[in-house]
Amino acid sequence: MTALTTTPDGFLLNGTPLRIISGALHYFRVHPDHWPDRLHKARLMGLNTVETYIPWNLHQPEPGTLVLDGLLDLPRFLRLAAAEGLHVLLRPGPYICAEWDGGGLPHWLTADTDIRLRSSDPRFTGAVDRYLDLLLPPLLPHMAASGGPVIAVQVENEYGAYGDDTAYLKHLEAALRTRGVEELLFTCDQADPEHLAKGSLPGVLATGTFGGRIDRSLERLREHQPQGPLMCAEFWIGWFDHWGGPHHGRDTEDAAADLDRLLSAGASVNIYMFHGGTNFGFTNGANHHHTYAPTVTSYDYDAPLTEHGDPGPKYHAFREVIARHTQVPDEPVPSPAPKLPPTTVELTHRTPLLPLLSTAKATPAPED
């Protein structure tokens, strides 16, 4: 049995001190044939852990169903992570944000405007419970308690930025525990006193999400939680793009310096993202900043490993930073992979848009 526990200032894995140096790698944004390559490159950068969300809307496209194959073969992804010698942080939501369609909430659920989403409304928690009844049994063999790579599981996602329904969070905690999840549970919220207060649970590790102001962010996390590991569950090293907007990036030296500050403070970290991947099909989400702003197909995120799987400037810079604080693999960093030549696609058919507008239906935005 493998157990991750906490001390007043850190983690222990089977009684041995562990600093979590993780990177976000969403299996559903990467072609399954590329999973081994991306996980291998994660370890070579110096990571000992990878983190992934679980998108409810893909795994359960209709009530009572569960899809776990192809792009959604999460058990296979977990086996590959274990084979690479990596631990895993699981973030099942039920709401994941992630710049993902509906934040991962299924269309058949959000279509019911009477349900109070992300709340203790029994119509919502009942749907969550029925989903977990199907999702968790095939994942339990991959939990640390069964010798698998999953060492911790997140409860909800930045809930303090949305609501303050503590009964809802307690329901999720109990839902995981009663279905066999023995691993360390954690919440994550922006390093803001109000968000941390509303999104945390007694007895559950609170972690922060931030990309800068490292000292102040860690101070706020410590003020909220006087004892326990300091962890940045999302260290933002890039950003996502909206259609029609500018491409976002973050200076490599600036991001590397902040990563060094985090690790020098003794904190654990999850780099968001290590490898962003692609929003396949119509899975990209959208924001509403005074106008509808959809996310683009690419989720490159200016990450250390680029969308096409090559080590970028941040990969090398972060590897150097990590090497100052722990041992990194004594193996050569992979070179960029060969690329297919550009291909011309001839569009031979078209469909006019305007006649179809009369059949379109608008779905109201969920109320807080």
Side-chain angles (χ1 to χ4, degrees):
M1 176 177 175
T2 304
L4 182 70
T5 56
T6 64
T7 70
D9 61 357
F11 292 104
L12 296 176
L13 186 63
N14 294 334
T16 301
L18 172 70
R19 167 105 63 121
I20 295 174
I21 304 179
S22 173
L25 174 58
H26 302 158
Y27 59 96
F28 48 92
R29 281 177 158 136
V30 180
H31 192 287
D33 290 351
H34 295 157
W35 290 349
D37 173 79
R38 306 315 192 242
L39 290 164
H40 181 62
K41 289 171 179 173
R43 184 179 64 81
L44 291 188
M45 196 179 83
L47 304 183
N48 57 27
T49 306
V50 291
E51 168 268 306
T52 185
Y53 283 121
I54 301 177
W56 182 5
N57 56 356
L58 288 195
H59 284 287
Q60 193 169 67
E62 299 296 337
T65 64
L66 183 70
V67 181
L68 281 179
D69 60 7
L71 187 71
L72 299 177
D73 193 348
L74 178 53
R76 174 175 176 259
F77 180 81
L78 298 176
R79 288 194 298 271
L80 291 171
E84 192 61 48
L86 294 166
H87 307 302
V88 177
L89 306 176
L90 274 188
R91 306 172 78 186
Y95 176 82
I96 63 172
C97 184
E99 292 74 58
W100 189 254
D101 180 34
L105 299 180
H107 71 90
W108 51 263
L109 184 70
T110 57
D112 187 343
T113 57
D114 291 331
I115 293 180
R116 289 187 295 111
L117 304 174
R118 302 178 74 187
S119 80
S120 53
D121 181 343
R123 293 166 296 184
F124 182 70
T125 56
V128 173
D129 289 346
R130 291 188 291 274
Y131 166 57
L132 294 179
D133 284 340
L134 297 174
L135 176 70
L136 290 178
L139 299 186
L140 291 180
H142 305 283
M143 298 291 177
S146 299
V150 179
I151 57 174
V153 178
Q154 183 174 294
V155 179
E156 245 280 351
N157 186 69
E158 290 189 322
Y159 186 69
Y162 177 82
D164 58 0
D165 190 343
T166 303
Y168 164 58
L169 296 180
K170 289 181 177 178
H171 180 97
L172 294 180
E173 178 188 13
L176 293 170
R177 291 298 190 214
T178 58
R179 288 166 177 79
V181 175
E182 303 175 25
E183 285 62 37
L184 180 78
L185 299 181
F186 66 100
T187 58
C188 83
D189 285 282
Q190 295 171 38
D192 171 273
E194 181 181 358
H195 290 192
L196 288 166
K198 294 195 298 184
S200 300
L201 272 176
V204 174
L205 178 68
T207 68
T209 62
F210 47 89
R213 301 181 179 178
I214 302 302
D215 294 341
R216 182 58 182 142
S217 296
L218 293 177
E219 285 174 6
R220 286 181 168 178
L221 189 56
R222 180 55 78 213
E223 288 166 0
H224 170 77
Q225 185 172 254
Q227 287 194 332
L230 289 171
M231 180 166 178
C232 179
E234 287 186 16
F235 172 51
W236 304 319
I237 53 78
W239 207 246
F240 57 95
D241 296 337
H242 289 125
W243 284 107
H247 173 61
H248 291 87
R250 182 176 177 185
D251 179 76
T252 295
E253 291 186 7
D254 177 66
D258 273 349
L259 177 60
D260 190 51
R261 291 185 184 96
L262 264 172
L263 297 179
S264 296
S268 288
V269 64
N270 176 53
I271 297 166
Y272 195 95
M273 300 285 298
F274 161 69
H275 172 55
T278 304
N279 295 314
F280 299 112
F282 297 102
T283 55
N284 57 303
N287 295 99
H288 199 282
H289 302 301
H290 307 294
T291 185
Y292 181 69
T295 305
V296 302
T297 302
S298 171
Y299 201 67
D300 178 79
Y301 217 86
D302 197 29
L305 203 66
T306 65
E307 183 178 12
H308 42 270
D310 290 338
K314 287 190 176 76
Y315 188 100
H316 301 283
F318 286 8
R319 192 172 191 268
E320 290 180 8
V321 169
I322 293 169
R324 297 175 202 154
H325 299 273
T326 188
Q327 186 173 359
V328 300
D330 186 18
E331 302 175 44
V333 174
S335 301
K339 305 296 182 294
L340 295 173
T343 301
T344 299
V345 177
E346 183 179 355
L347 302 180
T348 58
H349 297 77
R350 66 179 182 176
T351 298
L353 174 62
L354 291 178
L356 300 177
L357 291 180
S358 61
T359 64
K361 294 183 179 180
T363 300
E367 296 182 0
D368 290 349

